[in-house]
Amino acid sequence: MSATPSIPAAASSMPALSGMPTTVPPPAPGAPLAKDALLALVQERFPGAVRDAADAWDLTIIVSADQLRDAVLFLRDDRRLQMAMLLDIAGIDYLAYPGHRRARFAVVYLFKSLVHGHRVKLKVEVDEEAPELPSIHDLYKIADWSERETWDQIGVVFRGHPNLKRLLNHHEFIGHPLRKDYPCQKRQKLSVNDPMLDQLELRLRQLGYSVLSEGQITSMPTRGLPGAIDGAGDRGQLDPDLRQGSNAGADQRGVL
Amino acid sequence: MKVLTPQGDHLELLTVNMGPSHPATHGTLRIFTALDGETVVAAMCEMGYLHRGFEKMSEQGTYTMVLPFTDRLNYCSAMMNNIGFCKAVEKMFAVTVPERCVVLRVILSELSRIIDHLVCVGANLVDLGALTNFWYFFNPRESVYKIWEKLCGARLTNTVTRIGGFYRDTYPGFEDDVRKVLVEIEGAIKDVRGLIEHNKIFLDRTRDVCVVSKEDAISWGWTGPCLRASGVDHDLRKQEPYYGYETYNFDTVIGSTGDTYDRIMVRIFEMLESASIVRQALDRFKPGPLNTADARLSLPDRNRVYHDMEALINSFKLIYEGVRPPPGECYDATEAANGELGYLIVSDGGTNPYRIKVRPPCFTQFAAFGPMIEGTMVADAFGSLGSINIIAGELDR
């Protein structure tokens, strides 16, 4: 870690990025950049980016939705940043946040650089009217599932995602449970398994196969077969909420 | 299912659904595969069978009420989840816990890491047909659970930490018990290594099976032992040390190829490193205050509550309302047994968390499982499922 004297040498030996002014010298591997320096780097490239005041502990940078993919690429590929790891994607609904005047949703991307050791969170605000963001599933492999989870829980659509299906909740589930207006005690009747044949065919096509005929699905429980949707299971007979249909149990039964 | 291969040949694939309730899935995971004979051609995974809405539930209660929920994330090393959550909330308050608390948290974390790895490796070897190792590993694990029982009365889900400290101090003889169990653990590891290291069946079933390259592991967001098995030197205890880990003498265990063998061996050798950390921590484990003196977090002394009005009010406020972190959004992570366990906490200044997002380490590992097993045999696929240690509790939350 005592590599401080070598920083100027490393900076001068590296070629400058394509015509970009460099105000911050690139650090030696293993030396994390300070928060201000990281922010300056991102702001130099994306002048509209601002530091999120809500994150007083670490660094969260707010970028606009149309800058998102460029900003992610910049974080990943700039040799001073090299954020090769996307740790997580988290959706936040600010509907009930006291004094919140900005967009209803925000999606936070957590990045980490294994080379330099620094962390940055990118935050994108998402409007309630059009909750949409460009997908980054092609930039990080994990983004595929993380975006599915965010869509499932908060209801932000990721444009360009090849398989934007629910991940944590049942495929028949209606609504997005981590939205603040989704009642905590609401119940839904979910009965039929996802046959997943469409997802498997998608995967086969991604691998270069073409599917000629579907054939038989084996090892599937009988209730899971398409067409086996029954109106009321055993519980449906007993529970008035469930008897009204799969999504009629909407009334809130008080909170914890 | 009739398909045309990329080479233009006709092929009849068999679609087979595995799980969610199957002994080899170690939990409730579903893997839907297209097989060519015994070879997996394509696989899609489904999760969520154990989804209990941890994040939604967390918003309904106080921060202290979230603590027992965190036990149910990775239930094989419940204490590490408690400690990670408390550390995140303490970071929001900018409170440092006393030295005795820090050392005790290190001891409990490393013992939890050991029992987590014991289950993972033991059960993984059962998948490969080696049952004896399981019993060798479960004896010391049981001894650790006996220590947990004496420490807090609970075995699997302990809820032993509190924000700002601990539920209660250790019992007399705790250090001796821990030292004894370390010897037991090292004995069991020696026994198991003797059984598997030169075992041809084990080597054939694990070497070069389900290899995950360095680049793939990083792009999948892998952390912890699985990332290290792929040859990446990354451990939060070394790279972003907390709780004084930089002052302990231990090595990061790194694999070379990223196959099932490496993932098992990294865990086995990590247990020995953890045992060494526990010994060093026991030497530093000195009497002293266990809980922070910060009145925003810690309950006042019981005697003061009965005689001092301020202390009485403080006690009432903390019990009925709980802690109130400053408003804002804070992420904090610890190196849990499976990898980076992070909590993104959004606080509105109130007594309930506004939003908690958990970053479960095995989420990223299970996301990679489908592509990882394509091209391998079905039996080897399940051999490698154990090696990435999917704990459905933290996967589904």
Side-chain angles (χ1 to χ4, degrees):
Chain A
M1 284 295 167
S2 59
T4 334
S6 71
I7 289 178
S12 59
S13 67
M14 285 183 193
L17 264 187
S18 53
M20 221 186 294
T22 46
T23 50
V24 186
L33 280 173
K35 279 180 255 177
D36 294 342
L38 284 169
L39 182 65
L41 266 178
V42 176
Q43 280 178 337
E44 187 183 279
R45 176 74 186 268
F46 304 98
V50 285
R51 181 167 179 185
D52 184 11
D55 186 358
W57 297 270
D58 304 296
L59 179 63
T60 303
I61 301 174
I62 304 180
V63 294
S64 67
D66 32 316
Q67 284 177 331
L68 174 69
R69 276 184 66 90
D70 287 339
V72 171
L73 271 171
F74 177 68
L75 288 183
R76 190 188 71 172
D77 295 338
D78 190 279
R79 75 205 144 85
R80 297 160 296 182
L81 296 166
Q82 295 190 37
M83 306 248 170
M85 194 179 265
L86 171 66
L87 286 166
D88 205 0
I89 300 178
I92 304 170
D93 177 8
Y94 288 104
L95 182 69
Y97 200 89
H100 188 77
R101 295 276 174 276
R102 304 172 71 107
R104 176 172 170 188
F105 301 108
V107 176
V108 183
Y109 297 77
L110 285 79
F111 293 98
K112 166 154 194 182
S113 166
L114 292 180
V115 181
H116 302 302
H118 43 229
R119 288 171 185 265
V120 166
K121 295 197 273 286
L122 272 193
K123 189 181 199 178
V124 191
E125 293 179 334
V126 184
D127 273 334
E128 190 178 357
E129 286 73 40
E132 276 194 0
L133 281 181
S135 168
I136 58 163
H137 73 277
D138 50 335
L139 307 182
Y140 291 89
K141 290 188 171 178
I142 187 59
D144 183 343
W145 274 37
S146 293
E147 286 177 352
R148 279 177 66 185
E149 185 193 325
T150 312
W151 143 248
D152 184 6
Q153 298 282 56
I154 287 281
V156 174
V157 178
F158 291 90
R159 272 194 317 270
H161 193 291
N163 184 29
L164 198 62
K165 294 207 162 195
R166 290 185 182 276
L167 193 65
L168 291 175
N169 292 301
H170 197 271
H171 72 114
E172 289 175 330
F173 192 91
I174 292 177
H176 302 282
L178 284 184
R179 287 191 174 190
K180 286 286 174 179
D181 51 6
Y182 189 93
C184 158
Q185 300 284 320
K186 178 173 170 174
R187 302 171 68 175
Q188 298 193 20
K189 188 190 171 197
L190 311 163
S191 57
V192 179
N193 270 350
D194 185 357
M196 280 177 80
L197 206 59
D198 53 337
Q199 295 191 51
L200 194 66
E201 286 178 7
L202 173 80
R203 181 65 194 157
L204 281 166
R205 280 199 299 277
Q206 284 174 352
L207 294 169
Y209 291 81
S210 29
V211 180
L212 303 176
S213 74
E214 273 189 5
Q216 286 285 310
I217 311 171
T218 52
S219 303
M220 286 294 292
T222 45
R223 289 190 69 200
L225 284 171
I229 307 170
D230 52 347
D234 300 341
R235 287 166 62 228
Q237 301 293 329
L238 304 169
D239 192 315
D241 271 3
L242 300 180
R243 218 186 301 141
Q244 289 168 16
S246 60
N247 292 300
D251 60 312
Q252 187 179 356
R253 303 185 158 191
V255 287
L256 273 175
Chain B
M1 166 190 296
K2 285 193 174 62
V3 296
L4 213 56
T5 65
Q7 290 77 32
D9 303 327
H10 283 267
L11 194 66
E12 176 85 33
L13 295 180
L14 181 70
T15 53
V16 176
N17 179 68
M18 304 176 198
S21 302
H22 188 278
T25 59
H26 295 285
T28 45
L29 318 166
R30 181 172 165 211
I31 302 140
F32 194 47
T33 54
L35 305 181
D36 174 21
E38 267 194 82
T39 309
V40 180
V41 175
M44 287 301 266
C45 302
E46 194 190 29
M47 56 182 266
Y49 289 91
L50 211 64
H51 179 50
R52 301 146 297 177
F54 166 82
E55 290 168 4
K56 187 77 176 175
M57 278 199 291
S58 302
E59 296 167 8
Q60 316 300 321
T62 65
Y63 285 85
T64 316
M65 287 158 78
V66 176
L67 255 179
F69 298 154
T70 63
D71 278 310
R72 277 85 181 158
L73 291 172
N74 184 345
Y75 36 73
C76 288
S77 50
M79 285 191 187
M80 296 184 100
N81 310 319
N82 295 165
I83 291 170
F85 179 71
C86 289
K87 182 169 167 281
V89 179
E90 285 154 13
K91 179 180 175 183
M92 298 190 86
F93 279 102
V95 161
T96 42
V97 287
E99 179 64 16
R100 184 177 168 85
C101 175
V102 166
V103 176
L104 186 55
R105 284 186 181 181
V106 169
I107 295 173
L108 298 183
S109 290
E110 295 308 318
L111 275 178
S112 300
R113 188 185 316 280
I114 291 173
I115 55 172
D116 191 281
H117 288 355
L118 286 175
V119 181
C120 170
V121 175
N124 194 0
L125 291 171
V126 174
D127 293 342
L128 301 172
L131 190 66
T132 315
N133 308 283
F134 189 75
W135 308 125
Y136 282 174
F137 271 172
F138 263 52
N139 285 331
R141 178 177 180 264
E142 177 60 25
S143 305
V144 175
Y145 276 123
K146 288 213 169 97
I147 296 180
W148 285 179
E149 219 173 334
K150 282 160 111 175
L151 190 67
C152 61
R155 285 165 60 85
L156 195 70
T157 49
N158 317 83
T159 324
V160 69
T161 58
R162 290 290 180 274
I163 297 159
F166 269 95
Y167 156 56
R168 67 177 179 207
D169 209 333
T170 56
Y171 58 91
F174 169 75
E175 287 93 328
D176 294 338
D177 281 357
V178 173
R179 279 185 208 279
K180 255 184 243 155
V181 86
L182 289 179
V183 176
E184 252 185 85
I185 288 164
E186 282 162 344
I189 292 173
K190 187 164 168 280
D191 289 344
V192 168
R193 283 179 61 188
L195 278 177
I196 61 171
E197 267 182 4
H198 302 286
N199 184 323
K200 186 148 185 351
I201 302 171
F202 172 72
L203 296 178
D204 286 350
R205 295 279 320 265
T206 55
R207 283 222 161 141
D208 298 318
V209 170
C210 291
V211 178
V212 176
S213 71
K214 214 185 229 185
E215 293 72 28
D216 278 354
I218 293 173
S219 185
W220 280 115
W222 280 21
T223 49
C226 293
L227 178 67
R228 292 192 281 276
S230 291
V232 182
D233 178 7
H234 181 255
D235 188 329
L236 291 188
R237 294 174 295 170
K238 290 276 188 195
Q239 266 77 29
E240 296 171 44
Y242 55 96
Y243 289 160
Y245 270 114
E246 67 276 18
T247 59
Y248 292 91
N249 182 22
F250 69 102
D251 292 329
T252 314
V253 185
I254 299 167
S256 48
T257 42
D259 50 10
T260 305
Y261 177 84
D262 278 353
R263 288 189 284 272
I264 293 175
M265 283 303 169
V266 162
R267 283 198 168 82
I268 288 181
F269 283 93
E270 253 184 41
M271 287 193 265
L272 297 174
E273 297 299 324
S274 290
S276 147
I277 297 174
V278 174
R279 281 210 178 84
Q280 295 170 50
L282 281 174
D283 294 339
R284 302 179 190 185
F285 193 46
K286 299 282 175 338
L290 193 62
N291 294 337
T292 172
D294 197 315
R296 294 172 299 170
L297 300 179
S298 281
L299 286 172
D301 182 52
R302 231 38 220 161
N303 286 325
R304 279 186 56 226
V305 173
Y306 293 129
H307 299 107
D308 179 1
M309 178 54 90
E310 307 294 321
L312 183 68
I313 294 172
N314 189 357
S315 181
F316 264 114
K317 291 287 258 187
L318 273 180
I319 297 283
Y320 281 97
E321 293 183 354
V323 301
R324 289 171 176 267
E329 292 160 28
C330 178
Y331 177 81
D332 193 47
T334 50
E335 181 78 24
N338 248 343
E340 176 169 334
L341 173 70
Y343 293 92
L344 177 73
I345 303 178
V346 181
S347 162
D348 57 359
T351 56
N352 293 10
Y354 184 79
R355 165 100 165 92
I356 292 182
K357 172 77 176 75
V358 184
R359 192 251 172 222
C362 64
F363 179 83
T364 58
Q365 286 149 28
F366 191 54
F369 184 66
M372 191 173 119
I373 61 171
E374 282 162 3
T376 61
M377 312 282 268
V378 176
D380 287 343
F382 279 98
S384 72
L385 178 62
S387 76
I388 56 174
N389 196 20
I390 303 303
I391 308 285
E394 85 177 355
L395 179 71
D396 294 351
R397 283 154 283 153

Short mmCIF file of all heavy atoms in Angstrom, two decimals, chain B residues 348-373:
data_model
loop_
_atom_site.label_atom_id
_atom_site.label_comp_id
_atom_site.label_asym_id
_atom_site.label_seq_id
_atom_site.Cartn_x
_atom_site.Cartn_y
_atom_site.Cartn_z
N ASP B 348 -35.77 7.49 6.91
CA ASP B 348 -36.41 8.80 6.82
C ASP B 348 -36.33 9.53 8.16
O ASP B 348 -37.06 10.47 8.41
CB ASP B 348 -37.86 8.67 6.34
CG ASP B 348 -38.68 7.76 7.25
OD1 ASP B 348 -38.11 7.23 8.22
OD2 ASP B 348 -39.88 7.59 7.00
N GLY B 349 -35.47 9.06 9.04
CA GLY B 349 -35.33 9.67 10.35
C GLY B 349 -36.30 9.11 11.37
O GLY B 349 -36.28 9.49 12.53
N GLY B 350 -37.16 8.20 10.93
CA GLY B 350 -38.15 7.63 11.82
C GLY B 350 -37.65 6.38 12.51
O GLY B 350 -36.47 6.02 12.40
N THR B 351 -38.56 5.71 13.21
CA THR B 351 -38.16 4.55 13.98
C THR B 351 -38.14 3.28 13.15
O THR B 351 -37.50 2.31 13.51
CB THR B 351 -39.11 4.35 15.17
OG1 THR B 351 -40.44 4.24 14.64
CG2 THR B 351 -39.04 5.51 16.12
N ASN B 352 -38.89 3.27 12.04
CA ASN B 352 -38.89 2.10 11.16
C ASN B 352 -37.97 2.36 9.98
O ASN B 352 -37.92 3.49 9.50
CB ASN B 352 -40.29 1.83 10.62
CG ASN B 352 -41.26 1.41 11.69
OD1 ASN B 352 -40.96 1.50 12.87
ND2 ASN B 352 -42.42 0.99 11.28
N PRO B 353 -37.29 1.33 9.50
CA PRO B 353 -36.52 1.54 8.27
C PRO B 353 -37.47 1.89 7.13
O PRO B 353 -38.54 1.28 7.01
CB PRO B 353 -35.85 0.19 8.03
CG PRO B 353 -36.07 -0.61 9.25
CD PRO B 353 -37.21 -0.03 10.00
N TYR B 354 -37.11 2.88 6.31
CA TYR B 354 -37.97 3.21 5.18
C TYR B 354 -37.85 2.13 4.11
O TYR B 354 -38.84 1.76 3.48
CB TYR B 354 -37.59 4.57 4.61
CG TYR B 354 -38.51 5.02 3.49
CD1 TYR B 354 -39.76 5.55 3.78
CD2 TYR B 354 -38.15 4.86 2.16
CE1 TYR B 354 -40.62 5.93 2.77
CE2 TYR B 354 -39.00 5.24 1.14
CZ TYR B 354 -40.24 5.77 1.45
OH TYR B 354 -41.10 6.13 0.45
N ARG B 355 -36.65 1.65 3.91
CA ARG B 355 -36.43 0.58 2.92
C ARG B 355 -35.12 -0.10 3.27
O ARG B 355 -34.15 0.57 3.61
CB ARG B 355 -36.34 1.20 1.52
CG ARG B 355 -35.77 0.28 0.45
CD ARG B 355 -36.87 -0.32 -0.39
NE ARG B 355 -36.37 -0.91 -1.62
CZ ARG B 355 -36.01 -2.20 -1.74
NH1 ARG B 355 -36.08 -3.02 -0.70
NH2 ARG B 355 -35.60 -2.68 -2.90
N ILE B 356 -35.12 -1.41 3.21
CA ILE B 356 -33.88 -2.16 3.38
C ILE B 356 -33.72 -3.04 2.17
O ILE B 356 -34.63 -3.79 1.81
CB ILE B 356 -33.90 -3.02 4.66
CG1 ILE B 356 -33.87 -2.13 5.90
CG2 ILE B 356 -32.70 -3.95 4.68
CD1 ILE B 356 -33.84 -2.89 7.19
N LYS B 357 -32.59 -2.93 1.51
CA LYS B 357 -32.29 -3.85 0.41
C LYS B 357 -31.09 -4.68 0.84
O LYS B 357 -30.05 -4.14 1.18
CB LYS B 357 -31.96 -3.05 -0.86
CG LYS B 357 -31.44 -3.90 -2.01
CD LYS B 357 -32.55 -4.65 -2.70
CE LYS B 357 -32.07 -5.44 -3.92
NZ LYS B 357 -31.33 -6.65 -3.57
N VAL B 358 -31.30 -5.98 0.83
CA VAL B 358 -30.19 -6.86 1.18
C VAL B 358 -29.47 -7.25 -0.08
O VAL B 358 -30.10 -7.52 -1.12
CB VAL B 358 -30.71 -8.13 1.88
CG1 VAL B 358 -29.56 -9.00 2.33
CG2 VAL B 358 -31.57 -7.77 3.05
N ARG B 359 -28.16 -7.27 -0.01
CA ARG B 359 -27.37 -7.80 -1.12
C ARG B 359 -26.90 -9.18 -0.69
O ARG B 359 -25.90 -9.33 0.00
CB ARG B 359 -26.18 -6.87 -1.37
CG ARG B 359 -25.46 -7.15 -2.66
CD ARG B 359 -24.11 -7.75 -2.45
NE ARG B 359 -23.57 -8.16 -3.74
CZ ARG B 359 -22.93 -9.29 -3.94
NH1 ARG B 359 -22.72 -10.11 -2.96
NH2 ARG B 359 -22.49 -9.61 -5.11
N PRO B 360 -27.68 -10.22 -1.04
CA PRO B 360 -27.31 -11.56 -0.58
C PRO B 360 -26.21 -12.14 -1.46
O PRO B 360 -26.32 -12.09 -2.68
CB PRO B 360 -28.61 -12.35 -0.72
CG PRO B 360 -29.38 -11.64 -1.76
CD PRO B 360 -28.87 -10.25 -1.90
N PRO B 361 -25.16 -12.66 -0.87
CA PRO B 361 -24.06 -13.16 -1.71
C PRO B 361 -24.45 -14.29 -2.65
O PRO B 361 -23.95 -14.35 -3.77
CB PRO B 361 -23.01 -13.60 -0.70
CG PRO B 361 -23.64 -13.58 0.63
CD PRO B 361 -24.83 -12.70 0.56
N CYS B 362 -25.36 -15.19 -2.24
CA CYS B 362 -25.57 -16.32 -3.13
C CYS B 362 -26.54 -16.01 -4.26
O CYS B 362 -26.69 -16.82 -5.17
CB CYS B 362 -25.95 -17.58 -2.37
SG CYS B 362 -27.47 -17.53 -1.52
N PHE B 363 -27.17 -14.84 -4.25
CA PHE B 363 -28.01 -14.45 -5.39
C PHE B 363 -27.19 -14.44 -6.68
O PHE B 363 -27.60 -14.99 -7.70
CB PHE B 363 -28.58 -13.05 -5.12
CG PHE B 363 -29.45 -12.51 -6.21
CD1 PHE B 363 -30.78 -12.85 -6.28
CD2 PHE B 363 -28.94 -11.64 -7.16
CE1 PHE B 363 -31.59 -12.34 -7.29
CE2 PHE B 363 -29.74 -11.13 -8.17
CZ PHE B 363 -31.07 -11.48 -8.23
N THR B 364 -26.01 -13.82 -6.62
CA THR B 364 -25.19 -13.72 -7.82
C THR B 364 -24.66 -15.09 -8.22
O THR B 364 -24.48 -15.37 -9.40
CB THR B 364 -24.02 -12.77 -7.59
OG1 THR B 364 -23.25 -13.25 -6.49
CG2 THR B 364 -24.49 -11.38 -7.28
N GLN B 365 -24.42 -15.95 -7.22
CA GLN B 365 -23.89 -17.27 -7.55
C GLN B 365 -24.95 -18.14 -8.20
O GLN B 365 -24.66 -18.89 -9.13
CB GLN B 365 -23.32 -17.92 -6.28
CG GLN B 365 -22.01 -17.27 -5.88
CD GLN B 365 -21.76 -17.29 -4.40
OE1 GLN B 365 -22.23 -18.16 -3.69
NE2 GLN B 365 -21.02 -16.32 -3.93
N PHE B 366 -26.19 -18.04 -7.71
CA PHE B 366 -27.22 -18.87 -8.32
C PHE B 366 -27.60 -18.35 -9.70
O PHE B 366 -28.00 -19.11 -10.56
CB PHE B 366 -28.44 -18.95 -7.40
CG PHE B 366 -29.44 -19.99 -7.82
CD1 PHE B 366 -29.04 -21.30 -8.01
CD2 PHE B 366 -30.76 -19.67 -8.05
CE1 PHE B 366 -29.93 -22.28 -8.42
CE2 PHE B 366 -31.67 -20.65 -8.46
CZ PHE B 366 -31.25 -21.94 -8.64
N ALA B 367 -27.48 -17.04 -9.90
CA ALA B 367 -27.78 -16.48 -11.22
C ALA B 367 -26.87 -17.10 -12.28
O ALA B 367 -27.26 -17.26 -13.43
CB ALA B 367 -27.62 -14.96 -11.20
N ALA B 368 -25.65 -17.44 -11.88
CA ALA B 368 -24.69 -17.99 -12.83
C ALA B 368 -24.86 -19.49 -12.99
O ALA B 368 -24.21 -20.08 -13.86
CB ALA B 368 -23.27 -17.68 -12.35
N PHE B 369 -25.69 -20.11 -12.17
CA PHE B 369 -25.70 -21.56 -12.14
C PHE B 369 -26.15 -22.18 -13.46
O PHE B 369 -25.55 -23.15 -13.93
CB PHE B 369 -26.58 -22.07 -10.99
CG PHE B 369 -26.56 -23.56 -10.84
CD1 PHE B 369 -25.40 -24.20 -10.46
CD2 PHE B 369 -27.68 -24.32 -11.10
CE1 PHE B 369 -25.37 -25.58 -10.33
CE2 PHE B 369 -27.66 -25.69 -10.97
CZ PHE B 369 -26.50 -26.32 -10.58
N GLY B 370 -27.18 -21.61 -14.08
CA GLY B 370 -27.67 -22.16 -15.35
C GLY B 370 -26.58 -22.23 -16.40
O GLY B 370 -26.22 -23.31 -16.89
N PRO B 371 -26.00 -21.08 -16.78
CA PRO B 371 -24.92 -21.12 -17.78
C PRO B 371 -23.73 -21.97 -17.35
O PRO B 371 -23.05 -22.57 -18.19
CB PRO B 371 -24.51 -19.64 -17.90
CG PRO B 371 -25.69 -18.88 -17.44
CD PRO B 371 -26.38 -19.71 -16.43
N MET B 372 -23.51 -22.03 -16.01
CA MET B 372 -22.33 -22.75 -15.52
C MET B 372 -22.42 -24.25 -15.79
O MET B 372 -21.41 -24.90 -16.06
CB MET B 372 -22.30 -22.50 -14.01
CG MET B 372 -21.07 -22.91 -13.28
SD MET B 372 -21.27 -22.30 -11.59
CE MET B 372 -21.22 -23.83 -10.71
N ILE B 373 -23.65 -24.81 -15.72
CA ILE B 373 -23.76 -26.27 -15.84
C ILE B 373 -24.00 -26.71 -17.28
O ILE B 373 -24.05 -27.91 -17.54
CB ILE B 373 -24.87 -26.84 -14.93
CG1 ILE B 373 -26.24 -26.28 -15.31
CG2 ILE B 373 -24.56 -26.58 -13.48
CD1 ILE B 373 -27.38 -26.97 -14.61
#
